[in-house]
């Protein structure tokens, strides 16, 4: 053994002993999320969609003044108009967040990365919790930022028509934070589905089916009990979290209120993540 | 890395007890028990499909044993407080997200255990990946993937290494590097458990062999015992006086095969014995080669009945 190269000899120096910790797993998942181009692109698309659609909506409102001349309307109605135009982008943003949530885990299965992940975190569940926490935090922040930017863009455009949003109106913060919260929960819900199905195509199809198709199909079924269940669909309840202030005139006394809707969405998310946890623990990786 | 067997007998040991794994109706591993010890390279040899990878996956908890248990340092892998510091595993060169760079992959793995960036740079240097560390893994060759897998296994400077076919896809220089590297790790007192389906590789690298065939252990013995027990030494002799030499060699325990003009394959006499004999009789010898192919034969003899996918001999 005379040809041992110097780098090999280097291994003799012991690395400082550290331990596996949940904080470490969180850090690891954050590195994993931010070092994939798909994440960066998804977030850029969400922000661009939110702002872009808000600007288009604001211009069409300004030019057509679809709901009459708002410049003379009370301040809270003006604020509400700006909010309406800034929240439209969430229809598309939720789809991007859903796809991101699925591939955050299915990408590990399709590439084989999951075996590295589970070798480093052999108890497995901490890796799932950490992924959910990091994904939620990132998508919530990006969601709030994109909706905030959309609100700012709408305000600027509509200011040209003397329609001014009142930032002090609590509805503004509640709606934008609620929208961001929904986007974060969409991503975590999708993460659970992706973990159960372990396939990008299957996971995306399942999540989009549940989010987009289920409410539509329920509308088409004439049975009363199906109609009674409609507010409990994931995306229907999700929109009810933040859209209350957008339709103050609508009398929504029959359905769940914003807090109840949040509870419904959380139940969906909990079911999805619980299913993922059981299967992750039980299956061979 | 001090090791004292008297203090903790399980330190550095991989111990399987009655380990079985069934996938549906198919039995991949059937009731195997073995111990892998520190300070030597233990080769895990067997034809493709013998259950080597499944066994290794069970050691690190990726597959759940159907029966039995396997421990590292006396504990199940999932119970280890710092798995990456105790066990480094290369199970699959493709256990990496293709969209991430090698550096970021290692950084993410290291973060789970609070291992710092300096160690990440060290293992990159150690495995010679400096020039590609910033590139996405999707474009890596199998050889670079293997090096990245070894880098990841070394992150925690573990006392036990489990390497599944680490020389697959490596160029000759890489193969030599891995061979020296694992020898060096074992010399440091670490436990090295290395799988291969190539006997010749094992003969050069391992001290101890566990041979697996159809999910069962066929042999668990030092390499030298396996080789000497498997077949008798065979020597290739090239001589212009081959037939004279063949006559002189003739003895009950000696077999001589004339494969072509001037070439003999001799079984039952050491190369030194043949050389001495030729010298005494003034015969010219152009070549005298102990055939290492006997190792392959030892292996083939061991696994002949245990090969999952057999091909007919080419005629």
């Amino acid at each position: 053994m005379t040809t041992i190269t110097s780098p090999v000899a280097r291994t003799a120096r012991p690395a400082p002993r550290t331990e596996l910790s949940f904080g470490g797993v969180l850090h690891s998942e954050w590195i994993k999320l931010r070092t994939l181009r798909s994440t960066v692109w998804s977030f850029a698309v969400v922000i661009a969609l939110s702002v872009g659609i808000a600007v288009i909506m604001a211009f069409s409102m300004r030019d057509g003044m679809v709901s009459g001349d708002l410049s003379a309307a009370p301040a809270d109605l003006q604020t509400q108009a700006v909010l309406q135009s800034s929240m439209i982008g969430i229809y598309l943003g939720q789809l991007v967040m859903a796809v991101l949530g699925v591939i955050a885990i299915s990408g590990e299965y399709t590439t084989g990365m999951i075996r590295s992940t589970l070798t480093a975190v052999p108890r497995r569940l901490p890796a799932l919790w950490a992924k959910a926490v990091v994904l939620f935090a990132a998508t919530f922040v990006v969601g709030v930022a994109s909706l905030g930017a959309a609100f700012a863009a709408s305000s600027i455009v509509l200011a040209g028509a003397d329609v001014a949003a009142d930032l002090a109106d609590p509805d503004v913060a509640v709606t934008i934070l609620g929208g961001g919260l929904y986007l974060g929960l969409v991503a975590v819900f999708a993460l659970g589905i992706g973990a159960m199905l372990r396939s990008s195509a299957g996971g995306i199809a399942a999540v989009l089916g549940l989010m987009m198709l289920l409410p539509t199909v329920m509308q088409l079924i004439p049975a009363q009990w199906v109609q009674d269940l409609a507010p409990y669909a994931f995306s229907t309840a999700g929109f009810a979290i933040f859209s209350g202030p957008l339709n103050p005139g609508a009398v929504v006394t029959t359905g769940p209120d914003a807090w109840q809707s949040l509870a419904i969405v959380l139940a969906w998310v909990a079911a999805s993540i619980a299913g993922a946890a059981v299967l992750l623990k039980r299956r061979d990786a | 890395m001090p090791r004292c067997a008297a203090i903790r007998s399980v330190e550095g040991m991989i111990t399987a007890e009655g380990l079985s794994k069934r996938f549906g109706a198919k039995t991949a591993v059937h009731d195997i028990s073995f111990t892998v010890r520190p300070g030597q390279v233990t080769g895990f040899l067997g034809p493709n499909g013998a259950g080597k990878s499944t066994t290794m996956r069970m050691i690190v908890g990726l597959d759940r044993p159907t029966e039995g248990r396997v421990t590292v340092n006396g504990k199940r892998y999932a119970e280890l407080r710092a798995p990456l510091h105790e066990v480094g595993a290369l199970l699959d060169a493709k256990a990496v997200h293709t969209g991430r760079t090698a550096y970021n992959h290692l950084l993410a793995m290291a973060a789970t255990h609070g291992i710092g960036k300096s160690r990440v740079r060290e293992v990159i240097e150690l495995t010679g990946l400096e020039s590609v560390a910033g590139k996405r893994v999707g474009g890596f060759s199998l050889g670079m993937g293997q090096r990245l897998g070894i880098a990841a296994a070394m992150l925690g400077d573990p006392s036990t290494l489990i390497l599944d076919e680490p020389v697959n896809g490596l160029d000759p220089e890489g193969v030599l590097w891995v061979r020296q590297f694992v020898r060096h790790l074992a010399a440091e007192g670490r436990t090295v458990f290395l799988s291969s389906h190539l006997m010749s590789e094992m003969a050069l690298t391992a001290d101890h062999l566990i041979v697996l065939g159809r999910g069962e252990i066929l042999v668990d013995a030092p390499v030298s015992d396996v080789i000497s027990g498997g077949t008798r030494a065979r020597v290739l002799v090239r001589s212009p006086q081959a037939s004279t030499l063949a006559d002189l060699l003739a003895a009950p325990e000696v077999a001589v095969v004339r494969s072509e003009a001037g070439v003999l394959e001799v079984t039952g006499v050491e190369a030194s014995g043949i050389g001495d004999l030729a010298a005494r009789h003034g015969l010219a010898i152009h070549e005298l080669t102990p055939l290492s192919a006997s190792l392959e034969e030892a292996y083939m003899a061991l696994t002949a009945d245990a090969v999952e996918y057999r091909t007919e001999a080419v005629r």
Side-chain angles (χ1 to χ4, degrees):
Chain A
M1 298 302 286
T2 53
T3 51
I4 288 294
T5 52
S6 57
V8 172
R10 190 180 279 267
T11 62
R13 193 167 82 222
R17 292 281 134 162
T18 50
E19 277 189 3
L20 178 61
S21 66
F22 187 67
V25 180
L26 273 178
H27 185 204
S28 172
E29 290 299 335
W30 167 237
I31 293 170
K32 284 194 212 166
L33 187 67
R34 73 176 166 77
T35 55
L36 285 182
R37 284 190 300 187
S38 53
T39 309
V40 179
W41 277 109
S42 298
F43 287 164
V45 164
V46 168
I47 292 171
L49 277 176
S50 302
V51 175
I53 292 171
V55 167
I56 292 167
M57 279 303 297
F59 270 115
S60 76
M61 279 171 101
R62 192 189 73 171
D63 295 347
M65 275 302 161
V66 279
S67 41
D69 194 343
L70 278 166
S71 57
D76 61 334
L77 279 183
Q78 295 192 14
T79 303
Q80 188 195 319
V82 176
L83 263 181
Q84 269 173 353
S85 97
S86 56
M87 294 301 285
I88 304 288
I90 204 169
Y91 280 98
L92 292 174
Q94 63 172 343
L95 305 184
V96 180
M97 294 304 198
V99 170
L100 180 69
V102 169
I103 62 174
I105 184 79
S106 68
E108 292 213 7
Y109 278 102
T110 53
T111 59
M113 178 68 200
I114 191 73
R115 293 191 288 276
S116 291
T117 300
L118 298 183
T119 309
V121 189
R123 288 182 190 273
R124 299 188 176 188
L125 294 185
L128 180 65
W129 307 147
K131 216 178 250 303
V133 168
V134 166
L135 190 66
F136 175 78
T139 47
F140 173 72
V141 167
V142 170
V144 169
S146 67
L147 296 173
F151 182 78
S154 293
S155 306
I156 291 165
V157 172
L158 287 169
D162 289 332
V163 177
D166 180 6
L167 272 173
D169 189 330
D171 280 355
V172 173
V174 166
T175 305
I176 289 175
L177 287 174
L181 181 62
Y182 171 62
L183 289 177
L185 292 173
V186 165
V188 178
F189 174 66
L191 172 74
I193 303 283
M196 284 191 270
L197 297 180
R198 301 193 285 190
S199 138
S200 299
I204 291 169
V207 173
L208 296 191
L210 276 168
M211 285 173 61
M212 311 305 292
L213 237 47
L214 185 62
T216 314
V217 169
M218 287 174 88
Q219 272 181 358
L220 295 176
I221 299 172
Q224 184 56 44
W225 66 271
V226 177
Q227 297 310 314
D228 292 343
L229 280 178
Y232 296 89
F234 179 82
S235 49
T236 312
F239 274 72
I241 294 173
F242 60 86
S243 55
L246 301 179
N247 324 288
V251 187
V252 271
T253 46
T254 50
D257 65 16
W259 289 109
Q260 287 164 338
S261 295
L262 176 60
I264 292 164
V265 171
L266 285 173
W268 277 97
V269 172
S272 165
I273 290 294
V278 168
L279 290 178
L280 181 66
K281 195 77 181 164
R282 188 172 293 171
R283 288 194 290 215
D284 288 339
Chain B
M1 196 140 300
R3 310 230 163 275
C4 186
I7 294 173
R8 278 195 67 191
S9 59
V10 293
E11 189 60 32
M13 301 232 283
I14 302 171
T15 310
E17 294 157 11
L19 201 58
S20 291
K21 179 68 183 178
R22 281 187 293 277
F23 296 105
K26 186 174 159 46
T27 301
V29 174
H30 180 64
D31 191 22
I32 63 172
S33 300
F34 62 84
T35 302
V36 180
R37 293 187 170 76
Q40 59 181 7
V41 176
T42 301
F44 198 26
L45 187 65
N48 291 326
K52 303 187 298 292
S53 296
T54 303
T55 304
M56 287 183 153
R57 289 164 53 83
M58 284 193 281
I59 297 173
V60 296
L62 289 177
D63 281 357
R64 182 194 299 267
T66 311
E67 277 160 40
R69 63 184 239 134
V70 59
T71 59
V72 184
N73 300 341
K75 288 181 182 163
R76 288 198 314 114
Y77 184 79
E79 291 163 359
L80 299 175
R81 293 173 66 86
L84 292 189
H85 283 308
E86 302 196 44
V87 181
L90 163 68
L91 294 182
D92 180 350
K94 293 288 170 191
V96 179
H97 199 298
T98 44
R100 206 171 275 126
T101 66
Y103 176 76
N104 284 329
H105 169 72
L106 293 171
L107 200 61
M109 294 289 291
T112 58
H113 284 58
I115 298 167
K117 284 179 182 167
S118 61
R119 179 62 186 167
V120 170
R121 276 187 225 104
E122 259 174 32
V123 297
I124 286 172
E125 219 175 284
L126 174 71
T127 49
L129 286 172
E130 296 97 326
S131 60
V132 293
K135 293 202 168 77
R136 270 184 289 278
V137 178
F140 275 27
S141 65
L142 182 54
M144 286 195 284
Q146 294 282 22
R147 284 171 183 266
L148 178 57
I150 292 173
M154 290 305 295
L155 272 175
D157 195 22
S159 49
T160 298
L161 279 125
I162 298 171
L163 309 172
D164 194 3
E165 304 265 3
V167 301
N168 252 12
L170 291 182
D171 53 19
E173 186 216 2
V175 171
L176 184 65
W177 178 80
V178 168
R179 204 178 285 153
Q180 291 177 343
F181 184 59
V182 298
R183 299 277 346 142
H184 178 76
L185 293 172
E188 285 181 332
R190 301 186 210 230
T191 309
V192 181
F193 193 36
L194 178 81
S195 85
S196 177
H197 61 280
L198 299 174
M199 177 70 183
S200 50
E201 187 53 40
M202 284 302 176
L204 290 164
T205 313
D207 305 295
H208 191 94
L209 272 187
I210 296 173
V211 182
L212 203 63
R214 283 203 176 167
E216 298 190 39
I217 291 180
L218 303 175
V219 177
D220 184 346
V223 169
S224 51
D225 289 8
V226 176
I227 293 166
S228 60
T231 55
R232 293 181 297 166
R234 209 154 47 103
V235 182
L236 183 127
V237 187
R238 194 182 296 274
S239 164
Q241 294 122 322
S243 43
T244 316
L245 186 59
D247 293 343
L248 287 168
L249 282 166
E253 74 278 12
V254 177
V256 179
V257 178
R258 254 168 265 230
S259 48
E260 55 182 287
V263 178
L264 305 176
E265 271 184 34
V266 183
T267 313
V269 193
E270 297 278 312
S272 56
I274 299 170
D276 292 347
L277 184 73
R280 274 201 303 278
H281 292 83
L283 300 177
I285 296 281
H286 291 177
E287 185 183 348
L288 190 59
T289 312
L291 291 180
S292 58
S294 63
L295 311 181
E296 292 290 350
E297 283 173 6
Y299 173 44
M300 296 306 274
L302 285 171
T303 58
D305 299 325
V307 178
E308 189 90 346
Y309 318 100
R310 191 195 305 278
T311 47
E312 287 298 313
V314 179
R315 287 170 207 282

